[in-house]
Amino acid sequence: MTTMQNRTLSCAAFVLFISFVLPFLLCASKKPGDVIEEGVVQDDAKDKGDTKDEDDTNEPPRIPGELTNLGPMIHEQAINGSTFAKDQNGNDWLYTVTSGTPARLIGFQVAVDSRETAPSVILALTGSTICWSVAQATDGWLYIGTRNGLLFRHLPGIHQVENLGLTYPGAKVFRYHPDTGFQEVSNGAVKEGENYARSIAYHEKTDMLYVGVGAHTGLIKLNPRTGSKTEILPPSDRGHAGFVYHLGIIKGESSGDKLLATITGTTKNNKTLIYDIDTGIYTHQIGVVAAKTAIKSPVDNKIYVTSGSTLYSYDLTSTPPKIVSLNGNNASALAITWLTDNDLCYITGECKLVFYNSIRNDFFVLPLEVPPSPITINSMTYGPDGRVWMGGFFVGNNAAYDPVTGKSDMYQGLSQSESISYLGKDLYFGVYPGARFYRYDTSRPWVKDSNPKLLGSIAGQDRPYAYAAITDQNKMFFGTAPKYGRLGGALVEYNVNKNSLTSVEDVVKDQSIVSLCYANGVLYGGTSVWGGLGIQPIANEAKLFEVNPSNRTKISECVPVPDAKAITALLDGPDGHLWGMADGTLFVFDKTNKTVLSTHELFKVSDITKSKHVFKNACLILHPSGRIFGTAYGELFELNPVTKTKTAIGKASYSLTMDSKGHFLYFHRGINLWRYTP
């Protein structure tokens, strides 16, 4: 029996805006140095009762039907959107936003001679979990754009944040003014057929916007007054699966203002282009850099920018540009500024403030006290070490909860785990991005970059959702969804004996593999018609397929539920048949005769819901007693094995796992791990 950890992804609006002169908001200010923090209130529900088996004296008490909130499990100091700003008195501030539930705006006062590491402002951005971008308008207001399309504003030095409401989805560009509110300026998507406006830059002199597009590369010059749009990316660089992800404008360069545009996410076309705004000509090409944070020196013609862990200076007056590597000990910059003519300061994704003096050519690194935030649980499984293992959404990292001690341990080093599974004593992590696979030996300590060990990655693939352990062949199988802008997943085999990773693409043409189950010597798989985000499907119906795991050849495929878009859970049922969830419908499949015996609509799924990306939204588990439990569409339920009717138990996300004895089921609601006693 194999349980599937499922995930549904929703396309999120990116907050893109032009800031015009805005009036000041008058409100009371706290005393200097005061810290205001809006925390997260958690349910501290505890177990009650004393029911135990004699051989389970270390287990929590078991009261059938009891639901217990075990609380947040994964915490992280994860930051993304950041900017430097000045308050009304001319003081320098650094603002960054921590990912979590909720996201929080963190403010630090900054000075060349200051070594203050504690935040002066901590404000909750209620209703949001991730922030992509922060920018300061011309009148001093700070604007914060979040993953779910909310726009907030804050005046530096004032302990208050204001929610301005939702913005526009679908690769549109808007502006906000406090007198007129939101106004779309792009007359629809900046590029027809694309979903993502990933980056934006405004050139004041020409009053033009530049917008980076994906999931197929594009760079649009947009007139915010008329809505006219022009594609300016070189023809050879347009339309590739990928993004123009970072845009930055360099003003005051001796040969004219420049636009830096970084192309990322492509197979072999990643680079940064330098565009002369006056002439409309691309003058240079350099490596992949964080173009958004490129900045010109106030005293000479050099441009400073980070790439990976290194700060570089570029002299564009030479051909090719002269590149000088200055330091390689810190992560890429999220925001950058000159505090004086010679003192550069930037914040990295590792929560470090880096000071660089261009005259002395020396660095000083100041770790900041960024408070950790609770992170949404993304995947989970009950491991061979008797603990519940979980992966965090977006920011990654993992945690393991011990049911005996009631304590959880954090494990850092992996990005977002789309699936966690095991074979023998080893855990396997299917990690996004890049469809990377790791093996962790639970009998040895967790050591970053060593244990877990990277087994490899699959080119063109991104999200390893499905898995099945085949113990009699000592193999693991995984199913993936492809990268942004692509269709067609892969079936991936890891052969433990040979220590080899092998993949087969397009097992079902143009469809992702989102569920797997091994039964009676056959590997069964379920697909989703959806591919990577940012592309519409070609196929109309999800398929069930059979594969010979010895040679990875497909035996057959069929459509078990007409018009279903995704088969997100498979189970070797108590009656010897294969059970599955296709959209909201349970189906029972005769493995011998290869026919669908019955279908049962458990959830009504609207056409609107079916029109949205879905990879994981259900899970089925067979209890040792023969009972069947599942999750789907936000509900934990029990299935009657005979009538196939369901009984709702409570709210739940898609992941579901069970301990080795069937004493407890574990699921999650957002950041919290929950336990259910059957």
Side-chain angles (χ1 to χ4, degrees):
M1 183 272 291
T2 302
T3 62
M4 307 304 305
Q5 275 70 55
N6 297 349
R7 182 153 100 79
T8 302
L9 284 155
S10 61
C11 297
F14 283 83
V15 180
L16 308 174
F17 61 94
I18 316 171
S19 297
F20 294 93
V21 177
L22 309 176
F24 284 92
L25 172 68
L26 299 178
C27 59
S29 173
K30 297 291 181 180
K31 294 181 294 183
D34 285 355
V35 176
I36 304 297
E37 177 170 2
E38 186 174 334
V40 180
V41 179
Q42 303 299 337
D43 182 355
D44 291 326
K46 301 294 183 180
D47 284 329
K48 297 180 181 180
D50 55 4
T51 303
K52 292 184 180 181
D53 289 346
E54 292 182 0
D55 59 345
D56 296 311
T57 55
N58 290 326
E59 282 191 345
R62 298 203 306 276
I63 301 177
E66 184 178 55
L67 287 163
T68 304
N69 183 3
L70 301 172
M73 294 288 143
I74 306 174
H75 296 79
E76 182 53 58
Q77 296 170 296
I79 59 175
N80 200 328
S82 305
T83 195
F84 287 91
K86 288 185 180 293
D87 63 21
Q88 299 173 70
N89 297 317
N91 299 311
D92 287 298
W93 286 76
L94 163 68
Y95 279 94
T96 188
V97 179
T98 61
S99 298
T101 303
R104 291 182 290 180
L105 179 67
I106 314 292
F108 300 85
Q109 290 186 283
V110 180
V112 173
D113 56 355
S114 173
R115 296 297 179 259
E116 179 61 48
T117 61
S120 299
V121 173
I122 304 177
L123 297 169
L125 304 177
T126 304
S128 66
T129 57
I130 298 167
C131 164
W132 293 120
S133 185
V134 183
Q136 189 172 32
T138 52
D139 69 342
W141 281 91
L142 204 67
Y143 285 83
I144 306 104
T146 66
R147 178 180 178 270
N148 60 342
L150 290 175
L151 181 64
F152 294 84
R153 71 173 182 173
H154 165 76
L155 193 63
I158 304 298
H159 291 266
Q160 181 176 324
V161 68
E162 180 183 356
N163 185 343
L164 299 174
L166 283 169
T167 58
Y168 292 82
K172 299 174 184 177
V173 178
F174 68 92
R175 70 178 179 188
Y176 172 82
H177 192 284
D179 293 339
T180 58
F182 294 103
Q183 179 184 355
E184 186 190 340
V185 299
S186 57
N187 290 338
V190 287
K191 187 171 184 179
E192 192 66 32
E194 296 299 336
N195 292 343
Y196 298 97
R198 280 291 204 201
S199 53
I200 193 167
Y202 177 59
H203 188 240
E204 298 174 25
K205 182 179 176 181
T206 58
D207 191 29
M208 286 292 169
L209 279 170
Y210 295 88
V211 185
V213 175
H216 299 89
T217 51
L219 177 56
I220 307 301
K221 181 180 179 180
L222 169 66
N223 185 324
R225 311 299 172 179
T226 66
S228 65
K229 295 166 284 209
T230 305
E231 170 66 81
I232 64 170
L233 201 64
S236 60
D237 293 314
R238 298 177 193 172
H240 299 282
F243 297 88
V244 176
Y245 216 118
H246 300 289
L247 294 179
I249 287 181
I250 300 296
K251 294 182 290 185
E253 209 263 338
S254 60
S255 59
D257 293 352
K258 301 294 189 291
L259 172 72
L260 274 65
T262 300
I263 300 173
T264 64
T266 66
T267 303
K268 48 189 175 183
N269 203 39
N270 299 332
K271 57 191 171 186
T272 298
L273 301 176
I274 301 177
Y275 175 80
D276 189 303
I277 293 176
D278 292 333
T279 65
I281 296 173
Y282 286 91
T283 60
H284 300 89
Q285 175 180 316
I286 57 178
V288 175
V289 300
K292 180 181 177 182
T293 56
I295 191 169
K296 181 185 174 296
S297 166
V299 296
D300 57 34
N301 215 43
K302 292 179 181 177
I303 293 173
Y304 291 80
V305 66
T306 61
S307 177
S309 62
T310 302
L311 174 67
Y312 294 93
S313 71
Y314 286 80
D315 185 349
L316 297 183
T317 59
S318 61
T319 304
K322 183 180 179 182
I323 305 170
V324 178
S325 176
L326 301 172
N327 176 267
N329 297 319
N330 302 289
S332 289
L334 299 177
I336 196 167
T337 193
W338 289 99
L339 297 176
T340 72
D341 283 352
N342 299 299
D343 289 293
L344 185 68
C345 182
Y346 62 92
I347 174 70
T348 75
E350 296 176 338
C351 305
K352 295 177 180 178
L353 199 59
V354 181
F355 297 87
Y356 169 69
N357 184 278
S358 59
I359 295 177
R360 298 190 304 269
N361 192 31
D362 63 9
F363 287 82
F364 178 78
V365 179
L366 188 67
L368 297 176
E369 298 176 27
V370 175
S373 296
I375 301 301
T376 298
I377 298 170
N378 186 57
S379 56
M380 59 191 300
T381 199
Y382 187 85
D385 58 352
R387 297 189 294 172
V388 181
W389 281 83
M390 294 154 281
F393 173 67
F394 182 70
V395 300
N397 291 329
N398 300 89
Y401 171 77
D402 189 330
V404 174
T405 65
K407 296 180 180 179
S408 64
D409 295 311
M410 280 285 301
Y411 296 91
Q412 296 183 324
L414 299 184
S415 58
Q416 182 174 303
S417 296
E418 300 289 15
S419 62
I420 308 175
S421 53
Y422 72 89
L423 176 62
K425 62 181 174 59
D426 294 334
L427 280 170
Y428 292 85
F429 298 88
V431 172
Y432 164 86
R436 290 169 289 138
F437 297 91
Y438 292 83
R439 181 179 65 188
Y440 170 57
D441 182 348
T442 60
S443 67
R444 296 167 46 226
W446 181 288
V447 179
K448 185 179 177 181
D449 299 326
S450 174
N451 188 36
K453 176 185 177 182
L454 176 63
L455 302 176
S457 61
I458 307 301
Q461 300 298 309
D462 234 5
R463 305 174 189 269
Y465 288 116
Y467 62 84
I470 302 182
T471 55
D472 54 350
Q473 296 184 26
N474 210 20
K475 293 179 180 179
M476 285 294 305
F477 277 87
F478 307 93
T480 69
K483 288 182 176 293
Y484 284 81
R486 302 169 186 262
L487 293 173
L491 181 66
V492 182
E493 175 199 270
Y494 176 66
N495 187 313
V496 178
N497 297 335
K498 296 180 179 180
N499 189 30
S500 62
L501 196 68
T502 309
S503 67
V504 179
E505 294 190 1
D506 269 347
V507 175
V508 176
K509 185 171 176 54
D510 296 325
Q511 300 202 34
S512 302
I513 298 174
V514 295
S515 57
L516 291 171
C517 178
Y518 179 63
N520 306 113
V522 176
L523 181 65
Y524 296 89
T527 69
S528 169
V529 300
W530 296 94
L533 300 179
I535 189 170
Q536 291 297 308
I538 294 175
N540 295 316
E541 298 173 308
K543 292 187 177 182
L544 175 70
F545 65 86
E546 298 176 302
V547 164
N548 182 337
S550 297
N551 55 22
R552 303 181 298 278
T553 57
K554 185 168 67 176
I555 301 169
S556 67
E557 66 178 50
C558 68
V559 176
V561 178
D563 196 43
K565 306 305 179 186
I567 299 169
T568 53
L570 293 172
L571 173 71
D572 190 12
D575 54 4
H577 299 306
L578 184 73
W579 293 33
M581 284 290 292
D583 292 354
T585 298
L586 172 73
F587 67 87
V588 180
F589 180 77
D590 186 320
K591 294 178 290 190
T592 302
N593 297 314
K594 304 185 190 311
T595 58
V596 176
L597 299 177
S598 62
T599 60
H600 312 267
E601 187 180 54
L602 303 182
F603 299 88
K604 288 190 176 295
V605 181
S606 68
D607 289 338
I608 293 177
T609 299
K610 288 188 177 187
S611 69
K612 299 176 181 178
H613 259 88
V614 62
F615 296 123
K616 305 301 293 181
N617 64 4
C619 184
L620 295 173
I621 280 184
L622 178 62
H623 192 267
S625 66
R627 300 164 69 185
I628 296 176
F629 295 91
T631 53
Y633 297 94
E635 181 179 288
L636 173 67
F637 58 86
E638 181 172 357
L639 277 177
N640 186 309
V642 178
T643 65
K644 314 299 189 296
T645 55
K646 72 176 178 69
T647 301
I649 297 172
K651 295 180 180 180
S653 298
Y654 40 81
S655 295
L656 180 65
T657 191
M658 178 177 63
D659 66 33
S660 57
K661 298 177 182 178
H663 290 170
F664 299 106
L665 298 176
Y666 295 91
F667 61 97
H668 67 95
R669 296 177 185 171
I671 61 175
N672 294 313
L673 177 66
W674 283 72
R675 182 178 67 211
Y676 174 70
T677 309

